[in-house]
Amino acid sequence: MNLFYSTMEKFCDLTVKVSSLDVRLADRSQLFQILPFLERHLPSSCETHSLVLSALLASKASYGIYFLRNPNRMKKDDYSAIVGVKGEHRLDSHNQTQKVWILGGWGVSETALLRVYQAIDRIDWKCDIVLAYNRAHHPHPDFLRFFSDRQRIQMPFPLLDRYAIDVSMALKMEINLPDDVYVKSLEQCHAPLVFETWPYKYLTTLQDVSEEIVHLPSAGIFLKSNDKLVAWIMCHHPNGMSRLMTLEQYRRKGYASIVTKYLTKRVAQSGHLPYVNIAIDNSASSKFFKSLGFRYLDAGHVWITSPRDPLRDNEIVVYNNSGLL
């Protein structure tokens, strides 16, 4: 069944009376129960689904999946809310390592989802940066209160539009290559180039980029003459497909379309739903992905909280209001 013709889940105003003690951090066996549940709720669960799948594949402590079971159901595989957490790093203005937590959640209601947020115990709200991806363009008042209570800088939250393509369509994508290039997945040796050319590298580290290349699907276009990498795109949770880049001297050759098609197919083959988050004012990126068969999925926004860092606070705002995230 085409995902885009199935009934989309909508947040409702159901009140779930539970304690944060009911929220659990999933172990590996529980992840195998959560994954098929989220698959049944695709495409609306795409961000959380990708985090759970990556947590299983990577088996790294940088991933954490928190869940709240549905108190109104007896089934063990029925949930009210699931939140995926991914830990990354960046260097602050004092050249000290700072943790960056990226959150993507799904829930039957925002009340249930908030319960899970409140129970996440691995975040140091005084020192860490948090980017929390949520549905809808307008934040729920309870979420606004939750982040305000952390007494953190409240960054302008970027408004996003999500686009996705059905897995069956992605698997049928045809890729026509010019005679002078070839395409393949990125390798760890390509991480320095990806990192150094990324305009917002101050929000990540070379190690984080390298690990994503190892554990997540990626794609690059290489010149046959010297094996030079000239264009690429990779996955970056929970943004989906991200970091699309073509070296300036190789632009306007159609490489962006080729490398994006290749990754779209690789993502589908890897069990992920191909999707992207695009800032609402980036019409060029929206037009580009729609031309490849992606369709509008739903709206979203990002909560951004950070301890005060006068030299870099503005960088975080600029990054999160920039086009394709």
Side-chain angles (χ1 to χ4, degrees), residues 48-241:
T48 315
H49 175 267
S50 65
L51 284 164
V52 172
L53 185 57
S54 294
L56 279 168
L57 295 175
S59 298
K60 292 180 65 65
S62 56
Y63 288 94
I65 308 299
Y66 293 80
F67 67 91
L68 173 66
R69 296 193 188 279
N70 192 332
N72 300 319
R73 306 282 183 88
M74 298 300 294
K75 296 181 179 179
K76 289 185 177 181
D77 63 343
D78 200 351
Y79 304 90
S80 293
I82 302 167
V83 175
V85 180
K86 184 178 185 291
E88 296 188 359
H89 302 85
R90 75 155 190 164
L91 295 179
D92 64 17
S93 57
H94 303 289
N95 210 35
Q96 299 295 313
T97 300
Q98 182 179 24
K99 287 185 177 179
V100 179
W101 297 103
I102 303 176
L103 283 63
W106 172 92
V108 297
S109 70
E110 295 201 357
T111 301
L113 193 58
L114 183 57
R115 297 289 187 182
V116 180
Y117 272 69
Q118 292 169 331
I120 296 174
D121 56 3
R122 61 176 59 190
I123 297 173
D124 183 343
W125 292 96
K126 293 183 179 180
C127 301
D128 302 342
I129 291 177
V130 178
L131 290 82
Y133 290 71
N134 294 285
R135 293 171 62 191
H137 280 165
H138 302 288
H140 191 280
D142 289 343
F143 272 95
L144 180 60
R145 190 177 305 110
F146 170 75
F147 285 106
S148 297
D149 287 347
R150 297 302 177 277
Q151 298 179 352
R152 305 282 295 277
I153 299 172
Q154 298 302 309
M155 303 292 186
F157 52 89
L159 303 182
L160 311 172
D161 283 332
R162 295 187 180 95
Y163 292 82
I165 187 170
D166 188 74
V167 170
S168 62
M169 293 179 61
L171 293 173
K172 296 176 182 177
M173 273 195 166
E174 295 184 0
I175 303 169
N176 298 312
L177 288 172
D179 293 335
D180 57 344
V181 299
Y182 65 94
V183 59
K184 70 169 188 173
S185 299
L186 299 177
E187 300 177 21
Q188 277 188 290
C189 62
H190 303 125
L193 177 61
V194 174
F195 175 74
E196 290 298 334
T197 54
W198 183 237
Y200 315 106
K201 62 182 181 182
Y202 44 76
L203 269 181
T204 187
T205 64
L206 175 59
Q207 179 182 350
D208 287 329
V209 173
S210 179
E211 290 181 354
E212 286 185 328
I213 288 176
V214 171
H215 297 294
L216 300 175
S218 62
I221 289 185
F222 299 80
L223 301 181
K224 287 183 178 180
S225 60
N226 57 10
D227 297 319
K228 180 179 180 179
L229 174 62
V230 297
W232 58 86
I233 185 172
M234 55 187 294
C235 290
H236 176 57
H237 293 328
N239 277 323
M241 297 164 58

Side-chain angles (χ1 to χ4, degrees), residues 241 260 276 278 285-294 324:
M241 297 164 58
T260 301
V276 293
I278 302 174
S285 288
S286 299
K287 183 178 180 180
F288 170 73
F289 277 93
K290 286 192 287 187
S291 72
L292 299 180
F294 283 71
L324 174 63

